[in-house]
Amino acid sequence: MKNWSHLPSGEIELTIESEAYLELAKDYFSKCQYEDARQALEVAVRSANPQAEYLFGVLYEDALGVDWNEDKALLWYLRAADHGYAPAQTAAACLYLDEDDVMTDYAEAYRLLTLAVHKENADENDGAPSLSVDFPDAAECFDEDERWIAVQEGYAEYRLGWMHVAGLGVDIDKEKAFSWMEKAAKKRFRAAVFELAQRSEYGIERNEVWAKKAVEYGEYDPLIRVALRYLDNDDTPEDIEKGLSTLTELADKGIGSAQIALAECLIKGKSTSKDADKALQYLSLAAKMGDAKLITGLGIALYKSEETEIDPDVAVKCLELAAAAGDNEALVELGNLYFDGAGEILPDQEKAFRYFIQAAEKDVPSGCELAGYCLYEGKGVLQNRQEALGWYEKAAEQGFYNSYYMIGMIYGYDETLFNYEKAVRCFEKSAKLGQTDALIRLGTMHLHGVGAIPSDRRKAFHYFIEAAQADNNLGWEWAAYCYYWGYGTQQNKQKALQFYHKAAQKGSGHSQYMLGYIYGYDTTPPDFKKAARWFKKAARQGHSDAQLKLGFYYYHGRGVKQNYKTAFKLFTQAAAQGQATAMYNIGDAYENGYGVEKDEKQAFAWYRKSAELGDKWGMFGAGRLLFYGIGTPLNQEEGQCWINKAAKAGLPEAIKWRTH
């Protein structure tokens, strides 16, 4: 800390010249002529004028006509503080209280604030003229920050109270905090009034007293919160009568937020009997008072509420009131309500789309985006991606980055509107705005090359890595794929394993399958137990290849205990998803009675299904059973045909069979 012992101290005698230049400086401040103010202050401070010294500190702290310099600001504040000027003592304390500054010194801040308080009280008691700077026009030249607040009476007490609230250099002490806050509030320092009205640690009785004082400043929310605490019994002795009477009194005076709070009580039957009609009357009054957004908030809370006794129709009426009162976001929420349904209100996507369109036509960005979504997917309206494009473009112009992504999807994947260059530009904009899925799209487009965009595996890998670093699940998976095959980067199967683990832990079924595959088929020696564990995780998510591989493991007892029934069940699950090899395995199980009762007709049926999907084992099985008439009428010609197809597909058993 700097040593300020060289500063002048003791009694001061102001000269007429100093006072005159101080008044001139104040006039310049009021006109925001800071260079002229500085020159006038240079004369005023020659006789150690504390107000002039304080104002010099303000110049340096706010960079008004001089370069910003907190050290010089503190020097001038301390000079004025040493001359007993209370606002300067408070301003210097504020600098010492800055938690992100190297000059933070809570002990010195507390000392200066205490001096300021004592100085203010002494001036009041001895009738000394106030040295406070009182030129309100000048304050209009600044943001309302601590330098100007510091000259208000009660600010030093408020900061002392806050230090005891937060434990800044002193013990947390609720009673001391309250005592200082109360002193500040009694001097009509508004922040202290609101602090006393709202901080529950001071007790509901104190909160109520000061909440009523806050009403004098036109602030009703603290008193409304007090009333609700009486109703909710929230760390407060329940007093339903007082809570309701307070809310009703404020609501009847036309206070919109009280009308909305009371309406919510009437809708939910909280501490009073339900009366939806009366609630809607209060909401109508609030709407007329311009509180439409608050009514929208209530409507949202009602239709999303898990309380089964709430009538969702009331939520609809709330939102309709808010929309009629001019809150266009309420139209979007009405659309959301009908799109998904709520309570007994069934989904009605056509109605939802109409609300989205109404909002979109009023230039509500979310309305534009949702109208685009409905048109893109054909939800509640005939699919029309050309029209969807227009609404997405309007939303994108208003900063909705996901709309850039959807425009890219239309240009990149809709066959009637292909424009890969535009798609890439949109995905790039979306990615810059934080949409990590856009990085995946850019990666896959550059990996394979589309339209006039050539394949660039290095660029693709860069996009996948960027998405992975943003913790995008597909980013981890695609980067792992590139590492596994050496696409766009040096092949590194250990890295691939690490990246697949990241994606698998985030729930990716394909990555879980790949871990099973690597541990079971691409590791020396293979780790069948680990492979089986990962195949199980992927199989539970419906991954057909994992179901097939896990069925094979159970069939052979590889990494798990052999169990033909479990194998058959897994093959059936995979076959249901069109897995041709699984169909062959089901046929084999029926032919040999593995895990199921032997049934040669079923065996042939499953072999044939597999064969028709191009599986060479299925072709061989179907051909063999046809040739010998097993489970199907004898047909050696057709049987031979299927076996020949299996041989051409390279199946050794089929080739060997043909030679006999």
Side-chain angles (χ1 to χ4, degrees), residues 544-559:
S544 62
D545 286 341
Q547 290 164 344
L548 174 65
K549 289 286 193 296
L550 186 60
F552 182 76
Y553 272 35
Y554 273 107
Y555 183 88
H556 291 283
R558 183 176 290 176

Side-chain angles (χ1 to χ4, degrees), residues 14-306:
L14 301 181
T15 66
I16 294 174
E17 180 187 43
S18 173
E19 289 290 297
Y21 274 96
L22 174 62
E23 293 304 316
L24 184 60
K26 289 180 182 181
D27 185 56
Y28 285 135
F29 263 105
S30 70
K31 298 173 182 175
C32 298
Q33 295 174 318
Y34 305 121
E35 178 60 31
D36 293 331
R38 182 186 62 78
Q39 292 176 15
L41 288 174
E42 284 177 347
V43 178
V45 296
R46 290 174 188 169
S47 64
N49 186 314
Q51 285 197 58
E53 292 166 340
Y54 169 76
L55 290 176
F56 240 128
V58 171
L59 288 177
Y60 278 110
E61 190 170 4
D62 283 342
L64 305 175
V66 295
D67 291 336
W68 175 81
N69 191 319
E70 274 198 342
D71 284 339
K72 286 187 178 180
L74 184 60
L75 182 148
W76 285 107
Y77 287 151
L78 288 175
R79 287 184 66 164
D82 197 58
H83 291 143
Y85 188 47
Q89 291 163 342
T90 305
C94 289
L95 288 177
Y96 283 130
L97 284 171
D98 188 345
E99 294 182 30
D100 298 322
D101 201 287
V102 292
M103 61 177 66
T104 302
D105 187 335
Y106 295 134
E108 187 64 10
Y110 196 84
R111 184 186 74 82
L112 286 164
L113 289 171
T114 305
L115 284 174
V117 168
H118 290 158
K119 175 63 180 171
E120 287 172 0
N121 292 337
D123 286 345
E124 288 173 10
N125 293 333
D126 65 15
S130 171
L131 290 177
S132 64
V133 181
D134 184 18
F135 40 101
D137 290 341
E140 295 175 6
C141 304
F142 304 95
D143 293 330
E144 189 179 2
D145 57 22
E146 288 188 336
R147 269 72 64 203
W148 293 108
I149 294 174
V151 304
Q152 297 179 25
E153 286 191 359
Y155 183 63
E157 288 90 343
Y158 170 75
R159 290 310 298 256
L160 284 168
W162 186 250
M163 290 184 78
H164 280 292
V165 168
L168 301 177
V170 292
D171 292 336
I172 293 176
D173 189 323
K174 181 179 70 176
E175 288 307 315
K176 281 187 179 179
F178 174 77
S179 176
W180 284 117
M181 288 288 182
E182 190 175 45
K183 287 176 182 177
K186 285 179 178 177
K187 291 183 175 181
R188 300 183 65 79
F189 189 73
R190 291 191 182 195
V193 173
F194 299 143
E195 174 73 13
L196 291 168
Q198 296 178 108
R199 187 170 286 275
S200 60
E201 294 96 310
Y202 297 138
I204 189 67
E205 293 83 4
R206 288 170 171 174
N207 292 149
E208 185 178 1
V209 168
W210 289 103
K212 288 177 178 176
K213 287 284 185 186
V215 168
E216 295 175 13
Y217 297 108
E219 292 290 339
Y220 295 92
D221 283 350
L223 189 54
I224 292 168
R225 281 196 283 271
V226 165
L228 291 173
R229 283 168 61 196
Y230 277 127
L231 296 178
D232 294 337
N233 192 20
D234 180 16
D235 297 326
T236 302
E238 187 176 65
D239 193 332
I240 292 172
E241 186 178 347
K242 182 181 282 190
L244 282 176
S245 65
T246 300
L247 276 183
T248 304
E249 183 182 348
L250 292 173
D252 290 342
K253 283 182 178 178
I255 308 306
S257 49
Q259 291 165 338
I260 292 167
L262 183 56
E264 185 173 1
C265 292
L266 290 164
I267 290 167
K268 294 183 176 181
K270 184 170 67 176
S271 306
T272 185
S273 56
K274 283 187 178 184
D275 191 334
D277 290 337
K278 191 173 182 180
L280 290 168
Q281 288 173 15
Y282 276 118
L283 291 174
S284 296
L285 292 171
K288 290 174 184 175
M289 296 296 293
D291 288 302
K293 285 197 177 296
L294 291 176
I295 299 172
T296 298
L298 176 59
I300 295 168
L302 290 174
Y303 90 74
K304 291 186 177 179
S305 174
E306 294 179 359

Side-chain angles (χ1 to χ4, degrees), residues 485-660:
W485 295 105
Y487 291 158
T489 185
Q490 188 173 355
Q491 189 177 45
N492 187 330
K493 292 191 176 180
Q494 191 58 41
K495 276 275 190 184
L497 201 61
Q498 291 172 11
F499 277 47
Y500 276 131
H501 265 286
K502 285 278 191 181
Q505 286 161 7
K506 292 172 75 67
S508 166
H510 180 69
S511 288
Q512 291 165 352
Y513 165 76
M514 284 303 300
L515 287 171
Y517 182 86
I518 291 169
Y519 284 122
Y521 298 91
D522 203 14
T523 299
T524 305
D527 189 331
F528 295 130
K529 286 186 177 180
K530 271 188 181 179
R533 283 202 299 272
W534 285 110
F535 283 145
K536 278 182 185 178
K537 288 179 183 289
R540 288 192 196 109
Q541 295 201 62
H543 195 287
S544 62
D545 286 341
Q547 290 164 344
L548 174 65
K549 289 286 193 296
L550 186 60
F552 182 76
Y553 272 35
Y554 273 107
Y555 183 88
H556 291 283
R558 183 176 290 176
V560 291
K561 187 176 179 180
Q562 189 178 52
N563 189 320
Y564 290 136
K565 286 186 177 180
T566 301
F568 183 81
K569 180 180 176 182
L570 287 160
F571 292 146
T572 302
Q573 290 172 357
Q577 298 187 69
Q579 249 288 356
T581 303
M583 293 174 187
Y584 165 78
N585 290 340
I586 293 172
D588 182 59
Y590 274 120
E591 184 179 6
N592 297 290
Y594 294 138
V596 68
E597 189 175 340
K598 189 172 180 179
D599 187 331
E600 291 175 340
K601 285 185 178 180
Q602 285 280 10
F604 174 73
W606 281 103
Y607 284 150
R608 183 149 199 149
K609 283 182 183 179
S610 175
E612 288 171 348
L613 289 173
D615 184 83
K616 55 190 176 183
W617 277 104
M619 295 173 188
F620 181 63
R624 183 168 49 78
L625 266 58
L626 279 163
F627 191 87
Y628 291 114
I630 300 172
T632 184
L634 180 72
N635 190 331
Q636 291 187 338
E637 185 179 348
E638 187 181 354
Q640 187 67 58
C641 181
W642 279 115
I643 292 168
N644 288 341
K645 285 184 178 181
K648 286 181 181 177
L651 184 68
E653 283 78 357
I655 296 169
K656 184 179 178 182
W657 192 90
R658 276 199 319 180
T659 60
H660 287 76

